[in-house]
Amino acid sequence: MLLTLLGLVAAAAVVVVAGLAWAIHDLTAIPKAPDAAGLARSAETREARERAVAFADEQTARLRVAAPWAEVLDSSVADRCHAEARSESFGGKRAWSGVTCERTTVLYAAFDGEIEPRLADLDGALAGGGWKPRSDGKTLLQQLRHVHSPGSDATAEQTAEALARPNAVSVDHVPGDGRKRIALTVAVMDGKGFPSVNGSWDDRPSLSGPDAKPYLDRESERVVYFDWRRVDAEGLKAKAYAGHRYLMAIGVSQVYASGCPGAECNGVGPDW
């Protein structure tokens, strides 16, 4: 009798262990990957990428014309198609995110002079180009004035502190016609900071060297790089602030293709 019970317990233990092993395998297994390379190199994506390149160049040129007082210092580009297998929650099954092809270009320039007229020039060019501020709706000039606003019941000390704040602003813009997955960022830093742009990897200390890349082509990740050129953030700051007060970044980001060919995916690309 005792031997029979021990045998039943042992059999049950084997079933439990086998079930746990299967569950762990099911949670950690990576499903079939989408064909990122096929999507990236398709004729449709190639044409979309060419349009994205032309669009970014056109928008950057428009703002350069509006800012003849700025000295162009450098530029960067991050252009790749990427997909990743990830879980939506801790311990959840992994699924592919879908392939997203995105291009982000950033132009860096330095300038001096009165900040409010400079920002007004940029705001006018942005509005004339059909862009509108995202998030709180403030333009560059409005955001600057908000930064230095002490509030209606501020003390003299609080007012002095507000007026002494750095002239640092950053506004993300979206097309006024409602197009998705396109953004234009203008960021200005005063004296020592580095202006950040969504989609750019220029100010990421985790990447060492101008050729370092954040994504790898591996089991849980697929990536195809097109253009990839980073700036030396510290060197650029030193160059800019050696002769100028302000450092400005003009960034254009666009998701120009997305999909999940040959696989099942949870989602595709950011919903901008």
Side-chain angles (χ1 to χ4, degrees):
M1 182 67 177
L2 179 59
L3 291 175
T4 302
L5 288 174
L6 290 174
L8 291 173
V9 170
V14 170
V15 171
V16 170
V17 170
L20 286 173
W22 174 255
I24 292 172
H25 173 270
D26 190 46
L27 288 175
T28 58
I30 298 175
K32 181 183 178 182
D35 185 7
L39 176 68
R41 297 189 174 98
S42 69
E44 183 178 3
T45 297
R46 183 172 63 251
E47 292 171 2
R49 181 174 174 272
E50 290 173 355
R51 290 193 296 270
V53 171
F55 179 80
D57 290 346
E58 177 187 355
Q59 300 306 314
T60 303
R62 179 191 296 271
L63 290 178
R64 287 187 65 178
V65 169
W69 30 262
E71 178 189 357
V72 174
L73 300 178
D74 209 341
S75 64
S76 67
V77 59
D79 190 344
R80 82 289 182 276
C81 294
H82 176 251
E84 182 180 1
R86 59 194 177 199
S87 59
E88 295 299 320
S89 60
F90 179 76
K93 294 179 65 174
R94 287 201 275 186
W96 285 93
S97 61
V99 184
T100 299
C101 298
E102 181 179 0
R103 181 179 177 87
T104 300
T105 59
V106 186
L107 179 78
Y108 295 97
F111 65 92
D112 297 290
E114 293 296 322
I115 186 67
E116 289 204 359
R118 303 298 197 224
L119 297 184
D121 288 344
L122 295 168
D123 283 336
L126 288 161
W131 296 93
K132 65 178 183 180
R134 188 167 57 181
S135 186
D136 62 6
K138 289 185 176 65
T139 65
L140 291 161
L141 183 54
Q142 290 169 341
Q143 189 180 102
L144 178 72
R145 290 173 175 173
H146 179 74
V147 165
H148 293 294
S149 174
S152 58
D153 57 349
T155 64
E157 183 179 357
Q158 290 170 330
T159 299
E161 185 276 331
L163 293 175
R165 292 169 188 161
N167 294 325
V169 295
S170 180
V171 176
D172 292 333
H173 300 78
V174 294
D177 59 11
R179 282 176 295 166
K180 299 289 187 180
R181 300 184 177 186
I182 301 175
L184 191 158
T185 300
V186 178
V188 176
M189 297 300 292
D190 177 0
K192 60 181 180 179
F194 189 83
S196 296
V197 171
N198 290 331
S200 170
W201 292 83
D202 291 335
D203 57 342
R204 307 292 181 94
S206 59
L207 296 180
S208 58
D211 298 324
K213 298 179 176 67
Y215 306 119
L216 301 174
D217 203 35
R218 53 187 175 179
E219 184 183 21
S220 60
E221 207 169 25
R222 295 291 187 273
V223 63
V224 176
Y225 289 99
F226 292 109
D227 291 340
W228 192 268
R229 185 179 67 256
R230 298 171 60 234
V231 301
D232 173 9
E234 292 302 316
L236 182 60
K237 285 196 299 182
K239 182 178 180 180
Y241 295 130
H244 301 281
R245 179 172 178 180
Y246 299 104
L247 176 58
M248 172 175 64
I250 299 171
V252 181
S253 296
Q254 181 173 3
V255 174
Y256 55 86
S258 60
C260 188
E264 294 183 3
C265 300
N266 270 350
V268 177
D271 184 18
W272 285 353

